[in-house]
Amino acid sequence: MNNKSKTTLLSRRQLIKYIALLSASISAPTFGEIERLTPAPALPGGKDLGTGNFAFIYRNPQLREEFLNFLINVFHLYPEQQLQTLIQEAAETYNTDQNIYRHVQTKLADIKPFLAELTFALPALNKQKSTMATQTVQLLDPDRRYEGYLELGSTGRYIDALEEEFNIVGERYFIAEKAPSYSLSDMIDRNQIWQAGPFIPLANYRPAIAKTIANNSLDLVSIFIGLHHCPIPLREEFLSSIRDTMKPGAYLLIRDHDAKNTKMRAVVGLAHDVFNMGTQESWDYNERELRHFYSLSFLDNWLSNSGFVGDGRRLFQSGDPTHNALMVYRKA
């Protein structure tokens, strides 16, 4: 990156940080523009029937301590030990995920520090961006020119960090559930005021990609959110539509969990539960979320049979018990 680009980047970051500080000092907004929590209905007393991810992990001392690393190293939106205690107490009182989830949500305000958006949420976001960029440098040639970029799962969260390390030119495209806006949370998420590039609605994994992106036009595609939320009947169609945008030999960065057994499916499932719970998503939203978890071996076979070639490298994030690995594949 040249000196002019570095200066522009620094100024942009300083401006975003200033806006965040000013807004937080005035109204302490909730990061991500999450809805205000409404009190949950009365919960049944004593023990209720049913089991789930919370009880599976939090009633096992070893698994509970392992999961604490997710709160510390990945989630990090609340004081970790206090959140750990809240979840453990709820898991010892209620068996069903629904009751545990809703009960803990009623207590989150009690442990949330003042300006938590700046002292917890923003550093956690920046850590994930930095981790993705650092790992990507280990997988791709930073001296190569990458013409055309597609990011799936956000409206520009990672492109800024990647551009610090790589020469990415041409158009940048973004596929996500929600359209980008000029809200404070969106500007912080993409680390710039203006929108990062053309947006394509995910449309429940039926995006109209061909209407926006020409075939064989992109050198780099990133799917840092994995493919486990994709409806199973749409898997092949969706992956093919992504592959069509890529030039021969183009790179696919993909990150997903190694949910290879019952324990790992529970750990990964609970990570999703806690993320949704901590960002104040409703239980109904959490329950509707598709989670077709699989092993990395399954993912490798799937990609290999879909016209991609991997090199076998899997980069895991230190301290992440969900075994989320970043990998690189090339279009054959």
Side-chain angles (χ1 to χ4, degrees):
M1 179 178 291
N2 59 40
N3 291 333
K4 181 179 179 181
S5 298
K6 289 182 178 179
T7 301
T8 302
L9 180 62
L10 180 62
S11 299
R12 183 170 65 195
R13 288 185 167 179
Q14 289 175 330
L15 178 59
I16 291 295
K17 184 176 182 180
Y18 172 77
I19 293 173
L21 287 167
L22 179 61
S23 178
S25 66
I26 295 173
S27 60
T30 304
F31 185 76
E33 288 197 323
I34 52 185
E35 63 186 33
R36 294 289 182 181
L37 176 66
T38 56
L43 299 172
K47 304 291 184 181
D48 50 62
L49 298 176
T51 58
N53 297 327
F54 283 97
F56 185 94
I57 301 298
Y58 272 83
R59 292 186 181 183
N60 181 310
Q62 180 179 344
L63 296 182
R64 182 172 66 236
E65 288 308 304
E66 289 178 8
F67 192 79
L68 177 59
N69 289 319
F70 173 77
L71 304 184
I72 295 172
N73 298 306
V74 182
F75 186 59
H76 193 63
L77 297 188
Y78 300 87
E80 296 85 5
Q81 194 58 61
Q82 290 177 267
L83 180 57
Q84 177 86 336
T85 300
L86 275 183
I87 299 174
Q88 181 179 346
E89 291 174 348
E92 290 172 350
T93 304
Y94 304 102
N95 285 337
T96 65
D97 280 354
Q98 178 180 3
N99 286 339
I100 296 169
Y101 184 104
R102 297 174 74 179
H103 178 77
V104 173
Q105 275 196 328
T106 67
K107 304 295 183 181
L108 290 177
D110 297 338
I111 66 169
K112 182 177 180 180
F114 179 62
L115 297 184
E117 290 75 24
L118 295 178
T119 56
F120 282 84
L122 191 56
L125 174 64
N126 288 336
K127 178 180 179 180
Q128 289 307 301
K129 291 181 178 183
S130 176
T131 298
M132 294 304 94
T134 299
Q135 289 186 340
T136 301
V137 169
Q138 298 178 54
L139 296 174
L140 297 180
D141 180 2
D143 296 322
R144 185 186 185 280
R145 172 187 168 103
Y146 300 89
E147 185 172 358
Y149 172 78
L150 169 62
E151 183 170 306
L152 193 143
S154 85
T155 55
R157 177 174 303 157
Y158 297 105
I159 182 61
D160 182 67
L162 291 178
E163 285 182 324
E164 287 191 59
E165 307 292 345
F166 298 94
N167 182 21
I168 300 175
V169 300
E171 192 64 84
R172 294 111 164 111
Y173 301 94
F174 302 90
I175 298 177
E177 289 184 352
K178 298 179 181 179
S181 72
Y182 293 98
S183 67
L184 174 64
S185 60
D186 272 12
M187 289 190 291
I188 291 175
D189 190 60
R190 61 181 179 254
N191 203 34
Q192 61 184 48
I193 294 174
W194 47 90
Q195 296 182 14
F199 165 74
I200 303 172
L202 182 59
N204 194 30
Y205 287 86
R206 278 183 170 149
I209 297 177
K211 293 182 179 179
T212 305
I213 307 176
N215 285 351
N216 302 309
S217 64
L218 304 180
D219 273 334
L220 182 60
V221 174
S222 68
I223 310 179
F224 293 122
I225 65 167
L227 292 169
H228 53 263
H229 294 302
C230 181
I232 292 176
L234 300 179
R235 277 178 173 174
E236 302 303 328
E237 175 187 340
F238 178 73
L239 188 57
S240 293
S241 68
I242 297 296
R243 186 179 182 276
D244 287 344
T245 69
M246 301 171 63
K247 300 175 184 178
Y251 294 90
L252 171 67
L253 289 167
I254 185 165
R255 189 174 193 244
D256 219 330
H257 308 279
D258 193 10
K260 59 186 177 181
N261 53 37
T262 299
K263 170 196 168 182
M264 286 309 305
R265 286 191 291 272
V267 170
V268 174
L270 183 59
H272 283 67
D273 292 331
V274 168
F275 181 86
N276 289 339
M277 179 186 71
T279 54
Q280 306 281 20
E281 295 287 1
S282 70
W283 168 256
D284 289 341
Y285 173 93
N286 186 68
E287 191 174 34
R288 290 194 307 268
E289 186 176 69
L290 295 182
R291 301 174 184 177
H292 299 301
F293 300 131
Y294 39 67
S295 68
L296 293 183
S297 295
F298 172 88
L299 178 61
D300 181 68
N301 288 333
W302 175 20
L303 291 172
S304 297
N305 292 328
S306 301
F308 293 94
V309 179
D311 62 11
R313 288 179 294 171
R314 298 173 178 178
L315 303 184
F316 295 91
Q317 182 172 344
S318 177
D320 180 7
T322 70
H323 294 182
N324 216 359
L326 184 65
M327 299 156 286
V328 64
Y329 287 79
R330 298 191 73 176
K331 178 180 177 178

